[in-house]
Amino acid sequence: MKIKSKKSYLLVSLIILVSILAVSYWDVNPKSAQQDDQLYTVQWSDQSRELSLVGYLSPRQTTWITAPENGSIANILTPIGSQVTPGMPLVTMKSQELQTAFLEALIEYISNRYEANDALRELQSQEKLMQSGSTPQNDLFKAQKEHALKEINTLTSHKRLSYYIELFQYDWKDIDQLTLSKVDQIKDFIKQENKLIHIFANQNGTFVNYQDDKNNQSTKSSIQPGMSVDKNQVIAGISDLNDLSIISEVGEKEIHHIQTGMTASLRLSENPNITFEGVVESVDLHSLFTLGSTSSNKPRFYPIHIKPNANWLGAEELGQPVKITFQFEHKEVLLIPIDAIIIEKDQYFILREDGREKVAIELGDVFDEFIAVKSGLSAGDRIITNH
């Protein structure tokens, strides 16, 4: 009986010990191996860290062409993208306001010219009387002074009228034939001529239809006949296409990665299948852009200039957004799916396939849906992703 009791005691003790071990095992390994486990094999992967930006293609040197007055575009005399030289006609405009201003300047000039001629005739008559001795000296002096003042007024109005003569392409010979006594003739002259405002090139370059806005970005102005324009509105430009640049801004967290001389991969938004390269020419750490406010807690951005290595870029590409890609580093890393990670008390673990063992790991950079593992795993390890 004693032997039997001892055997029973040992059996009960063994059952209790097995139960304790089982509880401990289940505590460390929440689940036993299952057939529906999704497995992933840890392996080395070539990865590059990159920075993507958007910039705008623009020439470094552009002379903007602006509308001299409110009006509308009549004709585009020189095709966009053409090479131009000083004096070449580019655009004509219609402007009722300028026509009215021209009429007022013309009447003022003719009136002053008429008064100057009257003063001249008075002076000449005074000189004749002076020779006869019947007119005092001060009368002659007064006539000379009046003639001089009238001439000054005539010159002033002549200078003002010259602006409109050049703008509307009138001939001074036709202007000098007009007389103040025939105001209707003056109005008919302007109406019959129906002159347009001529805008000419003032330098060598390429005639372009793009412009920069206040945010340092480029856009197409797309001038067309009949388009209404405001005074001083930019309607086109003359650019040096031999000196193009791509302007972009880099955030304060990434600006330290960008250095002059770095190579960037470039793609135009309207032609994304063509990739070309460019070199960083300048990084402006003194200029600063902020989004929405100049407050210190707003994101800060710094301008950079990239010189494109593509001699085929022309007037049609100006103002287009450009995708800029910088490759910072290239290395091999061990990758695992982010979904495979278990987080417990600020520590990271994974479940290995063998017995669903929980293994502590150290993490690195994120690559889309994967993350690099610095320690804790080796290439070839199989882990469970659906824990």
Side-chain angles (χ1 to χ4, degrees), residues 94-114:
K94 295 179 180 179
S95 175
Q96 186 59 47
E97 292 183 25
L98 276 186
Q99 288 280 7
T100 302
F102 171 63
L103 176 60
E104 293 175 352
L106 180 60
I107 293 176
E108 179 186 11
Y109 167 73
I110 296 175
S111 176
N112 288 331
R113 188 187 65 190
Y114 177 79

Side-chain angles (χ1 to χ4, degrees), residues 343-358:
I343 303 175
E344 291 183 0
K345 297 180 180 179
D346 297 329
Q347 290 185 320
Y348 303 101
F349 301 89
I350 56 89
L351 293 180
R352 209 194 306 262
E353 178 189 19
D354 299 335
R356 297 179 66 87
E357 176 188 2
K358 186 188 294 184

Side-chain angles (χ1 to χ4, degrees), residues 213-280:
D213 62 21
K214 295 180 180 179
N215 295 320
N216 208 34
Q217 298 179 350
S218 305
T219 57
K220 298 278 187 179
S221 57
S222 301
I223 56 172
Q224 297 178 357
M227 182 180 74
S228 297
V229 293
D230 298 325
K231 183 177 181 179
N232 297 325
Q233 177 181 334
V234 173
I235 57 177
I238 301 175
S239 300
D240 179 7
L241 298 191
N242 294 318
D243 190 12
L244 297 178
S245 179
I246 297 171
I247 305 173
S248 185
E249 293 93 44
V250 183
E252 58 185 333
K253 293 183 180 180
E254 301 289 353
I255 191 63
H256 64 281
H257 291 298
I258 307 299
Q259 299 177 356
T260 56
M262 289 183 65
T263 300
S265 175
L266 308 171
R267 286 188 297 169
L268 293 172
S269 63
E270 296 182 14
N271 199 354
N273 295 325
I274 298 179
T275 301
F276 54 103
E277 291 186 342
V279 177
V280 178

Side-chain angles (χ1 to χ4, degrees), residues 138-260:
N138 61 339
D139 288 343
L140 178 59
F141 177 76
K142 180 180 179 181
Q144 290 175 330
K145 184 178 179 180
E146 288 181 355
H147 173 61
L149 291 174
K150 298 298 184 184
E151 280 193 321
I152 291 174
N153 290 335
T154 302
L155 290 173
T156 301
S157 60
H158 182 283
K159 184 177 180 180
R160 180 188 173 197
L161 183 61
S162 295
Y163 169 73
Y164 298 104
I165 295 297
E166 180 179 357
L167 201 61
F168 288 103
Q169 293 293 286
Y170 279 98
D171 193 329
W172 273 105
K173 293 180 180 179
D174 297 330
I175 299 297
D176 289 334
Q177 293 178 1
L178 299 174
T179 61
L180 186 63
S181 60
K182 299 179 180 179
V183 177
D184 292 337
Q185 180 189 21
I186 296 174
K187 293 181 179 179
D188 291 340
F189 170 75
I190 294 178
K191 185 176 180 180
Q192 290 173 3
E193 289 287 332
N194 193 24
K195 290 285 187 176
L196 300 173
I197 302 170
H198 285 71
I199 300 176
F200 299 89
N202 58 2
Q203 67 176 46
N204 295 316
T206 304
F207 187 37
V208 298
N209 66 336
Y210 104 105
Q211 59 180 313
D212 284 333
D213 62 21
K214 295 180 180 179
N215 295 320
N216 208 34
Q217 298 179 350
S218 305
T219 57
K220 298 278 187 179
S221 57
S222 301
I223 56 172
Q224 297 178 357
M227 182 180 74
S228 297
V229 293
D230 298 325
K231 183 177 181 179
N232 297 325
Q233 177 181 334
V234 173
I235 57 177
I238 301 175
S239 300
D240 179 7
L241 298 191
N242 294 318
D243 190 12
L244 297 178
S245 179
I246 297 171
I247 305 173
S248 185
E249 293 93 44
V250 183
E252 58 185 333
K253 293 183 180 180
E254 301 289 353
I255 191 63
H256 64 281
H257 291 298
I258 307 299
Q259 299 177 356
T260 56

